[in-house]
Amino acid sequence: MLTITKEFHFSASHVLDRLPSWHPCARMHGHNYVVVLELCARREDLTEAGFVRDYRDLDAFKKWMDETLDHRHLNEAMGGGASPSAENLAVWIYDLWTERIPELTAVRISETPKTWAEYRPG
């Protein structure tokens, strides 16, 4: 199995309103997020050029992320359903993009340089 990743960045605010009121993340705050998409393919499924997927094919994801998430309030951008935790953000992105990027195997989200959440179905 061959794996590629590409990293993207955006800034956004959120409120984790399902936390106790004394918790600092229950107040509105923001992060400079890092999103990493992981794509995999078997050797025999590589493109003619030898790619899992051409990195330029991920430009559509970057455009969507910039328009939908960058400098937005995630509670609103994600539709107000699940709490906009890093974990739920990873699942939400995966679910939205897995049909358009069938090689997508994982989404990793970082809110700070020391914290990461990853969604890898299965």
Side-chain angles (χ1 to χ4, degrees):
M1 191 66 77
L2 293 146
T3 302
I4 64 169
T5 61
K6 187 163 182 179
E7 182 176 296
F8 303 88
H9 298 252
F10 73 94
S11 299
S13 65
H14 68 168
V15 175
L16 300 178
D17 53 8
R18 297 178 186 163
L19 292 172
S21 61
W22 53 263
H23 196 289
C25 293
R27 297 188 298 268
M28 185 181 298
H29 62 287
H31 297 287
N32 293 315
Y33 287 88
V34 178
V35 177
V36 176
L37 300 183
E38 178 188 279
L39 288 68
C40 291
R42 297 177 306 191
R43 189 164 70 184
E44 60 270 18
D45 294 330
L46 295 180
T47 67
E48 191 173 314
F51 298 151
V52 169
R53 180 111 178 193
D54 189 336
Y55 286 111
R56 294 192 66 162
D57 290 347
L58 301 177
D59 290 351
F61 176 80
K62 169 75 167 120
K63 183 177 189 294
W64 171 84
M65 190 187 66
D66 288 347
E67 292 173 356
T68 307
L69 302 177
D70 191 40
H71 286 79
R72 306 284 182 183
H73 186 59
L74 294 181
N75 298 68
E76 296 168 3
M78 291 175 64
S83 176
S85 64
E87 295 88 338
N88 285 332
L89 181 59
V91 170
W92 183 69
I93 289 172
Y94 180 89
D95 288 347
L96 285 174
W97 282 88
T98 189
E99 280 190 37
R100 288 182 259 187
I101 307 172
E103 304 87 356
L104 186 62
T105 52
V107 176
R108 290 192 287 275
I109 306 287
S110 173
E111 293 179 335
T112 73
K114 295 181 181 182
T115 60
W116 288 88
E118 178 178 294
Y119 179 63
R120 180 182 301 278

